[in-house]
Each structure stands twice: as C-alpha cells, then as structure tokens.
Amino acid sequence: MKKQSTKMSRAVSQLEHIYNSLNADFFSGELPVPIITVQSKPGTYGHCTTSKVWQRKETGAYELNIAAEVLNYPIEETLDTMIHEMCHLYCRENGIKEVSRGGKYHNGKFKAIAEAHGLTCVPCKEYGWNTTPGDNLVEYALIKDWNEIDLGRNSLPSAMRTGSTGTAQTGAAGMGNGGRRPSSTRKLVCPKCGQSVRATRDVNIICGDCMERMVTAE
C-alpha cells in the first residue's frame, strides 16, 4: 500500500516526481527544472513565473506553484494543472507570447502548444482558451499508478486556472464543491491487506493475495 502524502515535504516530492515524468513523456525532457512550490492561492489552480525568480547555485530557476487549495484534487486535475503551467514554461523558454491582458487571456498560440502537449482546450470567453483533463491524463495516471495527494488547504470559491503571471483564468468556475470536479477514476482497496488499484469505471475484482473482494475507497 502506498504511503499517503500527508506531509508537505512528501507532497512536494510527489509533485517533483510528477513534473519530471511529464517533462520526459510530454516535453521530451526539454524543459528546465523549476522550483516547485505549494502556496495558498485562493481562487486559482497555480502559476508559473515569467522569469527565473529563484537562484540555485550559479543558475536561476522558474517557480511553478500548485495552489494549496487544490493540492488534493483528483490526480488528473493535478496533471492537467501541471502540464498547463509547463506549457507556459515552454513559452518562456522559446520566446512565445501565449498570453495577454496581464496574463489572463490565453491565445491561439497557447491552445496550439497545449494541444501539442497532450491537453484538451475549451473556449473560455474573455479568458481565451482553458484546459480540462482529458481521458489521456486519466489513463496516464493509471499507468503510472499515481494517487491523489492526501493533503490540501481548506478553501475556496470557484477555482480558476492561472496564466504565466499568476492572474486568474476561469477553470472549474460554476461547478459545485468549490469548483472541484469529481475524479474520473475510482480507487478500490482490499479490506484485508489494504492493497489498492484504480479503475475508470465500476469493476468487480478480487485481491489476488487475500481472495477478498475489493471495495471502493471512502
């Protein structure tokens, strides 16, 4: 059974691991390694800085933040947010102006880059193009056997995605549960040994070690 990410140090370590995997699999390892932070950002999902605001040895580093209020959202949401901000980082590195209006408006260049790196884009009125988790991210999380981070700050009005400067872009606004989407996956556990699996639909399976029927995790 996996250790739960109930300590901030462990949660950040998990985010760093996720970033490295996404960089390798979605960006061919081309992106620099940022400083990943978890800060309270009520009303947003996260941000990526427009410059290298951290000093690390002889080089600078961008900051990529996941909002504390959405840290424990469904894992596909975390992947979508991470790749969304990585697309901004890609633009920083390649001199592409993908946002305007103070970083709020995501233009057609952002859409093209986001879709080229595995994201699903949807129009979002005055904020341009937003991203939303697609089935590919659900499947990717299942292949990696990644679970949600079991740590999050109590929040929050309707959550929003952010542009490269940390300004708000509508994301899950208008949905219930403070903007949080229900997870597209289900976690099942063995009531005897605690071994867990994830599935994209209701399934009837038995733990091969204990021969016990696995049940949906609370």
Side-chain angles (χ1 to χ4, degrees), residues 45 69-78 148-161 171-183:
Y45 277 72
E69 288 78 11
V70 300
L71 185 60
N72 61 345
Y73 271 30
I75 187 62
E76 62 270 19
E77 288 276 4
T78 302
E148 284 75 26
I149 294 173
D150 300 304
L151 182 69
R153 184 183 177 95
N154 290 334
S155 53
L156 126 131
S158 297
M160 306 173 105
R161 301 206 183 281
M175 294 187 297
N177 196 23
R180 181 174 181 176
R181 295 183 181 91
S183 176

Side-chain angles (χ1 to χ4, degrees), residues 127-143:
Y127 295 102
W129 293 97
N130 192 13
T131 59
T132 187
D135 290 342
N136 63 317
L137 296 186
V138 175
E139 294 298 329
Y140 185 78
L142 288 171
I143 291 171

Side-chain angles (χ1 to χ4, degrees), residues 142-210:
L142 288 171
I143 291 171
K144 294 291 186 177
D145 196 23
W146 286 343
N147 294 313
E148 284 75 26
I149 294 173
D150 300 304
L151 182 69
R153 184 183 177 95
N154 290 334
S155 53
L156 126 131
S158 297
M160 306 173 105
R161 301 206 183 281
T162 67
S164 58
T165 60
T167 48
Q169 175 203 1
T170 54
M175 294 187 297
N177 196 23
R180 181 174 181 176
R181 295 183 181 91
S183 176
S184 300
T185 64
R186 298 157 180 79
K187 182 178 179 181
L188 296 99
V189 298
C190 172
K192 187 173 182 180
C193 71
Q195 183 172 221
S196 65
V197 297
R198 299 179 69 83
T200 56
R201 59 185 177 82
D202 292 325
V203 292
N204 184 12
I205 59 176
I206 293 175
C207 172
D209 294 331
C210 306

Side-chain angles (χ1 to χ4, degrees), residues 34-56:
I35 298 296
I36 295 180
T37 62
V38 176
Q39 303 173 35
S40 180
K41 302 282 288 187
T44 70
Y45 277 72
H47 69 247
C48 179
T49 57
T50 57
S51 61
K52 296 180 179 181
V53 298
W54 287 86
Q55 187 63 34
R56 181 167 51 192

Side-chain angles (χ1 to χ4, degrees), residues 83-112:
I83 298 175
H84 181 118
E85 302 305 336
M86 292 171 78
C87 286
H88 287 303
L89 182 51
Y90 176 89
C91 291
R92 300 283 78 73
E93 288 289 283
N94 291 279
I96 300 170
K97 186 173 176 56
E98 85 289 11
V99 292
S100 58
R101 303 175 193 174
K104 293 181 180 180
Y105 188 86
H106 291 55
N107 60 30
K109 292 179 181 178
F110 175 83
K111 178 179 183 291

